[in-house]
Amino acid sequence: MPNRRPIRGTEVKKNTEFGAPSPLALFVDRVQAVVVDAFLLAFGGLMVELLVLAFSGRRGATGLLLTAEKILDLLHYGWMAAVAVVLALIWNAAHVPLGTSPGRAMVFGLTEEEKDLPWSQTTVGWFVAILIQLTFFTGWLITELDLMDFLTKFSKAADILRGLMHPQASILHQGSVLLVQTIFLAFMATAFAIPVAFVLSFPSARNLTRGTFIARTAYIVARTLMNFVRAVEPLVWALIFISWVGIGPFAGVLALWVHSVAALTKLYSEQIESIDNGPMDAIMATGASTLQVLRYGVVPQVIPPFLSFTIYRWDINVRMSTIIGFVGGGGIGYILKPRVDLGEWGEVGTLVLLIAATVWVMDIVSAKIRERIV
Amino acid sequence: MTGGTAAAVEVRDLGMVYPGGIRALESVSFEVKEGEFLAVLGLSGSGKSTLLRCINRLLDPTEGTVHIFGEEVTALRGSALRRLRCRIAMIFQQFNLVKRQTVLTNVLSGALGRSRLLPSLMVSFPQAERERAVAALERVGLPGRADSRADALSGGQQQRVAVARALMQEPQLILADEPVASLDPALRHSVMRHIESLNREEGLTVLCSLHDIDLVTRYATRLIALRDGQLVWQGSPSNFDQKTFKEIYGQDAEPASNSGY
Ligand SMILES: Nc1ncnc2c1ncn2[C@@H]1O[C@H](COP(=O)(O)OP(=O)(O)OP(=O)(O)O)[C@@H](O)[C@H]1O
Ligand SMILES: [Mg+2]
């Protein structure tokens, strides 16, 4: 009988060969914990200072109470950062008597004793709770929430609402024509986005890009590019393309196209990441090449969800194309903006109704089609 | 190595540590002769799938070597690796058919390794291959199902399509990873018999992980057993007794069925 010495089997999750972390890795972890703590402490400190200044009754040069914006100018950012770093270092060094700091908890986890306690009995718990409270109060000041304004000054808005309730037929024809343009604008942007997003989604999928160095690089490049493109709002893209190809629906198409490519790439690649690997393995095992594996093992699995996402995207693009005209990107927004500026609320009402009806119909149609596909 | 006695598969000191640090195989060595039906036994998690996947390099083993018909597969890359995979068919526990494609396309995908790239990307195959695929389907007892969608078939039928796909590859070696474990016990023989016929009639070498002792004694010509990633036993089914069973599965284990082993 062969020997049956105990070996590392299924139950042993962390292999000892990989057990103790290197000193460098430990150092990096510790720095991470301190940085997180310093950031949180500085953030908390600044919020406390802001609240103190706001309620101290101090007045500015004009004799008026300080506004939140002005206070933001006055805060001692450098000092707070310095103090926070020192405090964070102390807290991390003395984490045993003081209780685990949030940064430490994030990097190393809570200690065994603290894990079993309710949040109200741990230092981290209290720290986070107070931080959330502070953020809420500070947010109230910074965004200048004012319940009194909200409750007492409705009459002006009532004029607009009254206008909207009495749509005027005079603009119905022009509005309808531009509405058609809007829908086609959205359609073209979506249609052109499909092939580009389709191709880009493969290098953007983590599960397909682990193999080689080239694949990993392609993943990082594709992901970074798409994240950047998606981070820029379609309205900003519209401004860019207006200066490129001039005012009009084409600029709108390009703006929505760029944004749709990025959004669809993300949706598509996430879908690819969630496929069943089995068919891929099976096709690979037959000796098929990479393209064949993608064609047979991946594509059939993702086509229906891709279609569904694409229709959903068209739906979104119709909505977006109504406002892309605000900045000159064509479509119904192009005539809506001047009427808002002139206060012709009756005509605005007509246009808003047209848009609402379209979006509503698109919503139903896209939901129906997607139901069929999946 | 000479002629008929050449080892179809020769595994030497094979070791596999997964990226997370889990060791799944430790210095496993064994040989499979051409034409043998080798069953791989072992508890769940003992490393059977890992072993089979290291042989056709769906996984890259971290230690040791695998030779197939004298060729070292652990050293192969790129197109040489793909050419080798063409000669090794694999059958999976979960069938792994492409569900949204037709049965015929699934069988045809066994020919991908020798097909021209562009037509194959458009799912277009030469007439000769199509005829071969139809013949393979007939052989596994599914004539007339060529145009059904793969997921419209029952489990046993799907696995027979997978056998047809393997047949389509015209392989020299078949790796089967618990091919009948997710099938109704009554249907197991319907699939096993086809694998057996490939072994007996075409002389293909078969490596098949199984956990049903009945199936092992019925089909295998030799067996090896894994435990915690190590090879703990090898021999012929006739030498496999109660004592060996406990060695492999632990003292508390009982054979799942009460018929003999
Ligand atoms: N992709 C993976 N990453 C990390 N560990 C894995 C992976 N696949 C398997 N393992 C581990 O390797 C060991 C062997 O797994 P393997 O799947 O080869 O066992 P098996 O004998 O095929 O089991 P089963 O009968 O359940 O299919 C197990 O401990 C398993 O947890
Ligand atoms: Mg397995």
Side-chain angles (χ1 to χ4, degrees):
Chain A
M1 211 65 228
N3 66 336
R4 295 227 320 272
R5 72 197 152 91
I7 68 152
R8 300 164 293 261
T10 22
E11 308 87 304
V12 188
K13 285 302 171 206
K14 282 242 158 147
N15 196 297
T16 41
E17 282 162 48
F18 298 79
S22 70
L24 180 68
L26 192 62
F27 178 73
V28 171
D29 282 351
R30 287 200 173 137
V31 170
Q32 257 181 35
V34 172
V35 169
V36 170
D37 285 332
F39 177 80
L40 291 178
L41 284 165
F43 185 54
L46 286 167
M47 289 195 291
V48 171
E49 189 185 4
L50 184 141
L51 290 171
V52 168
L53 280 176
F55 291 104
S56 64
R58 245 175 75 178
R59 280 159 200 280
T62 50
L64 292 171
L65 281 174
L66 290 172
T67 61
E69 248 173 281
K70 186 86 192 97
I71 297 177
L72 280 177
D73 273 349
L74 293 176
L75 297 181
H76 299 90
Y77 294 96
W79 279 110
M80 281 296 176
V83 173
V85 169
V86 174
L87 287 178
L89 282 170
I90 295 174
W91 195 352
N92 275 273
H95 64 90
V96 177
L98 295 177
T100 308
S101 67
R104 253 193 105 75
M106 226 172 79
V107 178
F108 298 102
L110 286 174
T111 61
E112 289 303 322
E113 304 89 70
E114 281 177 314
K115 250 180 213 155
D116 299 331
L117 294 174
W119 70 268
S120 56
Q121 288 177 35
T122 61
T123 320
V124 189
W126 275 99
F127 186 84
V128 172
I130 292 174
L131 210 63
I132 292 172
Q133 290 289 320
L134 280 174
T135 311
F136 189 73
F137 287 132
T138 313
W140 186 284
L141 285 179
I142 289 187
T143 56
E144 299 174 20
L145 299 193
D146 195 331
L147 272 182
M148 288 311 282
D149 280 357
F150 185 73
L151 294 176
T152 59
K153 298 187 181 165
F154 175 67
S155 57
K156 281 187 204 161
D159 282 349
I160 299 180
L161 285 180
R162 206 169 301 124
L164 292 178
M165 299 295 182
H166 298 82
Q168 271 162 34
S170 55
I171 203 167
L172 191 60
H173 179 71
Q174 198 191 358
S176 307
V177 170
L178 281 174
L179 193 63
V180 171
Q181 192 188 62
T182 310
I183 295 169
F184 273 98
L185 192 161
F187 176 76
M188 294 307 272
T190 317
F192 285 130
I194 296 170
V196 185
F198 183 81
V199 171
L200 282 174
S201 63
F202 290 88
S204 304
R206 192 88 204 101
N207 56 336
L208 302 181
T209 51
R210 285 206 192 93
T212 61
F213 176 74
I214 298 175
R216 284 194 295 270
T217 316
Y219 172 81
I220 293 170
V221 171
R223 272 284 156 121
T224 315
L225 189 69
M226 287 303 118
N227 282 341
F228 171 76
V229 171
R230 224 157 16 88
V232 179
E233 282 294 311
L235 276 181
V236 179
W237 283 115
L239 290 174
I240 294 172
F241 283 114
I242 283 166
S243 57
W244 189 336
V245 301
I247 283 185
F250 184 39
V253 170
L254 289 173
L256 288 183
W257 171 72
V258 169
H259 202 258
S260 301
V261 166
L264 282 179
T265 302
K266 184 172 163 65
L267 290 175
Y268 287 179
S269 59
E270 278 169 3
Q271 191 59 42
I272 293 178
E273 283 168 1
S274 72
I275 63 166
D276 173 12
N277 284 328
M280 238 170 82
D281 287 346
I283 300 296
M284 200 183 288
T286 66
S289 63
T290 309
L291 281 178
Q292 290 171 328
V293 171
L294 295 181
R295 174 64 187 83
Y296 286 79
V298 181
V299 170
Q301 291 193 61
V302 295
I303 287 296
F306 275 22
L307 276 177
S308 162
F309 287 141
T310 310
I311 290 163
Y312 177 56
R313 188 68 217 175
W314 182 28
D315 187 359
I316 293 178
N317 277 348
V318 168
R319 268 169 244 217
M320 283 203 188
S321 62
T322 59
I323 49 166
I324 214 96
F326 271 52
V327 294
I332 202 164
Y334 193 54
I335 55 168
L336 183 55
K337 178 77 164 43
R339 279 162 185 80
V340 171
D341 291 344
L342 295 173
E344 293 180 12
W345 302 116
E347 294 190 333
V348 170
T350 313
L351 296 175
V352 168
L353 277 181
L354 278 176
I355 293 173
T358 314
V359 168
W360 182 60
V361 171
M362 274 303 298
D363 228 39
I364 294 174
V365 172
S366 106
K368 278 272 180 293
I369 300 180
R370 283 189 290 138
E371 244 170 55
R372 280 288 159 78
I373 292 173
V374 180
Chain B
M1 281 168 214
T2 51
T5 58
V9 183
E10 189 186 344
V11 173
R12 283 276 155 267
D13 299 321
L14 199 68
M16 176 72 198
V17 178
Y18 278 105
I22 296 172
R23 177 174 274 290
L25 291 176
E26 186 162 295
S27 52
V28 171
S29 301
F30 64 93
E31 271 185 23
V32 191
K33 297 232 162 48
E34 208 172 334
E36 270 187 318
F37 191 124
L38 180 91
V40 183
L41 292 181
L43 279 173
S44 185
S46 59
K48 304 182 295 295
S49 302
T50 308
L51 173 66
L52 292 178
R53 285 165 166 265
C54 283
I55 290 174
N56 68 352
R57 290 280 307 279
L58 284 185
L59 284 173
D60 291 329
T62 45
E63 300 136 24
T65 59
V66 176
H67 286 79
I68 292 186
F69 299 108
E71 192 174 3
E72 182 178 349
V73 304
T74 25
L76 296 179
R77 308 180 138 268
S79 62
L81 177 59
R82 288 204 299 277
R83 271 198 303 281
L84 175 95
R85 280 180 183 155
C86 289
R87 297 156 57 198
I88 310 172
M90 191 160 200
I91 296 170
F92 301 82
Q93 179 177 351
Q94 301 300 337
F95 327 135
N96 290 355
L97 300 183
V98 181
K99 293 197 179 62
R100 292 180 168 274
Q101 283 180 330
T102 63
V103 166
L104 189 71
T105 307
N106 270 285
V107 178
L108 280 166
S109 66
L112 282 175
R114 57 175 184 264
S115 300
R116 288 184 26 236
L117 180 65
L118 279 179
S120 79
L121 290 183
M122 291 182 287
V123 200
S124 147
F125 291 85
Q127 189 57 32
E129 298 283 24
R130 303 176 74 86
E131 280 163 14
R132 208 169 284 156
V134 171
L137 276 174
E138 270 170 27
R139 177 155 179 189
V140 298
L142 291 170
R145 300 308 300 266
D147 296 323
S148 315
R149 247 176 66 155
D151 54 4
L153 269 53
S154 71
Q157 290 171 330
Q158 289 195 35
Q159 192 63 304
R160 281 187 280 155
V161 174
V163 173
R165 174 171 66 189
L167 202 61
M168 190 69 191
Q169 245 177 284
E170 302 186 332
Q172 294 168 285
L173 173 66
I174 293 193
L175 306 174
D177 189 4
E178 306 200 23
V180 293
S182 49
L183 297 183
D184 196 287
L187 291 172
R188 290 186 176 165
H189 289 287
S190 79
V191 169
M192 286 308 295
R193 266 200 298 273
H194 289 294
I195 298 178
E196 181 187 37
S197 96
L198 294 180
N199 173 247
R200 298 271 160 88
E201 288 160 30
E202 324 275 316
L204 301 187
T205 312
V206 175
L207 258 81
C208 181
S209 68
L210 287 170
H211 56 215
D212 186 330
I213 307 300
D214 280 345
L215 292 177
V216 173
T217 45
R218 164 92 168 69
Y219 294 102
T221 58
R222 206 159 65 81
L223 50 110
I224 64 174
L226 293 177
R227 181 169 179 178
D228 291 344
Q230 285 184 316
L231 190 82
V232 290
W233 196 82
Q234 51 180 322
S236 80
S238 51
N239 294 339
F240 190 80
D241 54 17
Q242 181 84 32
K243 185 164 153 285
T244 325
F245 182 88
K246 300 229 157 164
E247 289 291 345
I248 299 167
Y249 291 99
Q251 292 304 321
D252 298 335
E254 286 296 332
S257 71
N258 43 20
S259 48
Y261 25 81

